Amino acid sequence: MHFSPDRPAFFVNPDYQPMAGATKPVIDPATLETVGAIATASDGEIDAALTAATKAQAAWKKLDAKSRARHLHAVANAIEVADFTHCAELMVREMGKPYPEAIGEIANCAPIFRYYAEMARDDAGKIAGATQAGSFQYARYEPYGVSVHIMPFNFPILLMCWTVAASLAAGNACIIKPAEATTLSTSDYMTVFRSLPEGLVSCLPGGAATAQALIASERTHAVAFTGSVAAGKAVAVACAERMKPCVIEAGGSDPLIISQHAPLDVAAAGSVTAAFHLTGQVCTSAERFFVVDAVHDRFVDLFAERTRALRIGNGLDKTEIGPLVSEAARAKVMRLVDDAIAHGARAVTGGRIPPAHNTGWFYEPTILTGVTPDMAIVREECFGPVAAICRVRDFDEAIRLANDSPFGLGASVFTTDLAEAHEAAERLEAGMVWVNNPLIDNDALPFGGWKASGLGRELGRQGLDAFRRSKMVIIDHRPAIQGWWYPYPDSWFRETGGRKHV
C-alpha cells in the first residue's frame, strides 16, 4: 500500500496498513481547507506494531556494529536520493511551515544517521584498570529493547531522526508517535526506513491516548518526548512509575541579551530569526529580550525595521511568517500580548491579526517594549511570533533576569566583549548558550535543557547513551580461590568478653 493523505494508515516497516478507526480531517492553518484525514491507532494496531518491533529487535541487537552501521548508512543514502517535494508540501499544508524550511528539514537528516552509525561503531564500551591481577574488567553497552518516540509538530522529521537514529544505532527497535498536526508528512517520510529489517521501525498515528498506551506497555523500554512542559511532566511521571528511562525536551522561554558591546546590525538581524523563525514556534525561540539601556533605543529601531520587512502568508508562497499551527495557539499568543499591553507594554510592530490575512491563524510578528519581568508574557512560554523586550541597566542585571525563570532550555547573547561571552557561557542557567549566532545545533554536542525544560540529552554521546544501558563485566581468566571469600579465618576476629567480633 502506498501512503495517501486521504486514507489513514499506520506504518510497520516496510508497509503501510489501512487504519480501521474513525477519521478526522486535517485542516490547513493558512486556508482552513481540508488537507487529508487521520485516525487513531487501535489497540490491535498498537499490538501489531509492538509484536513486529519485539521480533525485529531480537535479531537487530545481535548484529555486529559494522553491519548495523551499514544499515544506518543505507537510510542516509535513501534520504539523500529521495524526492521529498510531496512530503514538504504536506508539512506546509498541515502545519503552516514555509516551504524552504519544510524541504530543508526533511532533506537534511542524512548526517545524523551517518553520525550515529559511526559513533556506535566506535564507542562500544570501556576497559577499566583491574582491581586485582588476573581479572579482565570492563563495561559494555546494550540496547533497552523497543523505544517510543513522541514527536512535536514544529520539527516533526528532524527531531524524530535525532532520537530514532541514536536508538537504532544503540540496537533498539523504534515506534514513532507523530504529532497529530504533522501526521501526514511524518507518515509519508517513513519510506526512508524500508531498507531496514522488517518491523524495526513503526509509525502509529494518534493523540495522547496512543502515547499513554505505548508508554504503559511492558513491551516498550525507553521513551523520547518533545513537547510542552505539562505534557513532558506527565510523560516523565508515567515513565518513573514503570522505572522506564526517558529523554524529555519540554520547551522554554529563552532569553536573548543585547550587551552594550553588541554588534547592533548583526544583533538585529539575528534577533529576527531567533524570535520569529517558524512564526516563533520553536522550543529555542528567543522570547525574553534583555537589552542594556545604552543601546536599547538603537537596537529596537534596527530590530523593528528588519521585522517589518518580513513577508506574511501561506507557506507555499514567498513568505517568512506562516500561520500558527492552530486557533488555540494563536489565542494564547493574543492573550499574552493583550495582557502585556494592558499592563503598560507597547507594540512597536505587530500586536494584531494582519488585515490582509484574516482567514487562517495568522498573527503579525510583534515587538513589545516596556515589558517588565512580572508580566505573564515573561513568566510563560508564548510559542508565537513575539519578542518581549525589557530594558536593563547593565550586563549583570540582564544575566540575573535571564536566569529568573522556571525554564532553562537555551539562551543567546550578542556581544563583542570576550569576557562577557565567557561569563554568559558560565553564568546563564540553560542547557545551551549561543553567542552571536542563535539557534544552531551540532550533531556531536548535547541538546537539551535545565530546570523545567527537560531531562536528559539528545545528540552527541549523551544522545546515544540515552538509548542504551551499561553492564559491568568482570572475568577472572585465572580462576583462584579468593582470600576474602567465606569462611573468614579466625585471625580476622578478636575476642571480647567471650564473644567474637569481626
Side-chain angles (χ1 to χ4, degrees):
M1 174 182 175
H2 295 290
F3 177 74
S4 168
D6 299 315
R7 296 194 302 272
F10 70 104
F11 178 83
V12 177
N13 193 51
D15 297 320
Y16 294 97
Q17 300 177 35
M19 300 180 72
T23 65
K24 65 178 180 179
V26 175
I27 305 299
D28 185 332
T31 65
L32 304 188
E33 296 172 351
T34 299
V35 177
I38 59 174
T40 294
S42 67
D43 292 344
E45 290 159 353
I46 293 172
D47 179 72
L50 288 170
T51 299
T54 301
K55 180 180 177 181
Q57 198 270 334
W60 179 249
K61 70 179 181 181
K62 295 176 183 178
L63 275 186
D64 62 274
K66 185 176 181 180
S67 296
R68 206 180 289 161
R70 176 169 46 81
H71 278 287
L72 294 185
H73 283 300
V75 173
N77 293 341
I79 294 170
E80 289 174 344
V81 302
D83 179 0
F84 289 119
T85 302
H86 177 65
C87 187
E89 289 176 351
L90 277 177
M91 187 184 294
V92 174
R93 296 190 66 205
E94 65 183 342
M95 60 78 67
K97 178 177 291 195
Y99 180 82
E101 297 171 23
I103 193 68
E105 172 187 347
I106 289 169
N108 291 318
C109 294
I112 192 65
F113 286 94
R114 299 202 190 282
Y115 172 79
Y116 277 122
E118 298 306 317
M119 166 69 81
R121 197 159 74 93
D122 177 70
D123 186 9
K126 174 187 176 182
I127 298 174
T131 57
Q132 61 188 48
S135 184
F136 179 42
Q137 303 178 355
Y138 66 98
R140 55 179 288 138
Y141 300 118
E142 298 183 6
Y144 283 108
V146 177
S147 58
V148 177
H149 304 258
I150 304 168
M151 294 293 100
F153 73 84
N154 55 353
F155 294 97
I157 304 301
L158 178 67
L159 298 186
M160 178 265 291
C161 288
W162 281 7
T163 58
V164 166
S167 186
L168 290 171
N172 301 290
C174 298
I175 296 181
I176 298 153
K177 206 295 289 181
E180 288 189 281
T182 43
T183 294
L184 301 182
S185 54
T186 305
S187 297
D188 189 76
Y189 195 79
M190 290 297 107
T191 56
V192 303
F193 297 114
R194 279 181 162 160
S195 63
L196 293 174
E198 182 177 342
L200 194 64
V201 173
S202 298
C203 181
L204 289 173
T210 304
Q212 290 164 357
L214 289 169
I215 294 170
S217 172
E218 293 182 356
R219 290 185 286 172
T220 66
H221 310 94
V223 177
F225 168 86
T226 300
S228 69
V229 171
K233 288 180 178 179
V235 169
V237 168
C239 288
E241 288 177 344
R242 295 161 179 84
M243 298 296 282
K244 193 171 290 189
C246 60
V247 178
I248 306 291
E249 200 270 86
S253 178
D254 281 10
L256 189 151
I257 294 172
I258 304 294
S259 156
Q260 71 182 68
H261 304 293
L264 292 183
D265 287 340
V266 175
S271 295
V272 170
T273 295
F276 304 129
H277 182 60
L278 191 55
T279 318
Q281 298 170 116
V282 182
C283 297
T284 52
S285 285
E287 296 191 0
R288 300 177 294 131
F289 282 66
F290 300 100
V291 183
V292 172
D293 180 69
V295 297
H296 177 278
D297 293 350
R298 178 58 178 158
F299 169 76
V300 170
D301 288 344
L302 292 171
F303 187 20
E305 179 183 356
R306 287 185 172 271
T307 298
R308 292 187 186 102
L310 297 177
R311 294 165 289 189
I312 303 171
N314 191 312
L316 294 175
D317 300 328
K318 293 180 179 179
T319 182
E320 290 82 29
I321 305 295
L324 287 145
V325 70
S326 67
E327 183 178 16
R330 187 177 71 174
K332 179 182 180 182
V333 172
M334 293 172 66
R335 171 179 65 81
L336 291 172
V337 170
D338 292 347
D339 175 81
I341 292 173
H343 287 86
R346 181 173 72 92
V348 177
T349 67
R352 62 177 186 171
I353 296 170
H357 298 283
N358 54 11
T359 297
W361 312 126
F362 293 95
Y363 196 75
E364 289 186 355
T366 299
I367 299 173
L368 298 176
T369 57
V371 174
T372 56
D374 59 327
M375 291 181 180
I377 201 163
V378 176
R379 309 311 303 175
E380 299 181 32
E381 182 179 28
C382 180
F383 219 62
V386 182
I389 298 179
C390 298
R391 187 191 294 258
V392 296
R393 292 186 303 275
D394 53 27
F395 184 75
D396 282 337
E397 185 180 25
I399 293 283
R400 179 178 64 79
L401 291 176
N403 289 338
D404 182 20
S405 171
F407 305 107
L409 188 55
S412 298
V413 177
F414 280 93
T415 183
T416 56
D417 185 303
L418 185 60
E420 285 184 342
H422 283 293
E423 278 209 31
E426 179 180 341
R427 295 169 59 189
L428 284 167
E429 296 171 358
M432 297 165 286
V433 175
W434 295 280
V435 179
N436 298 328
N437 192 3
L439 300 188
I440 66 170
D441 53 67
N442 183 326
D443 292 348
L445 294 175
F447 185 101
W450 290 13
K451 299 189 278 190
S453 289
L455 298 169
R457 290 294 180 269
E458 300 169 0
L459 301 181
R461 160 70 187 272
Q462 290 173 270
L464 180 62
D465 286 345
F467 295 100
R468 59 188 190 175
R469 48 193 167 187
S470 62
K471 178 185 288 181
M472 184 184 78
V473 180
I474 296 179
I475 300 175
D476 277 23
H477 50 275
R478 291 204 299 265
I481 296 175
Q482 302 296 318
W484 59 272
W485 292 357
Y486 281 2
Y488 294 142
D490 288 346
S491 61
W492 284 23
F493 295 85
R494 63 188 178 91
E495 298 285 345
T496 306
R499 299 176 61 189
K500 291 185 177 181
H501 297 274
V502 174

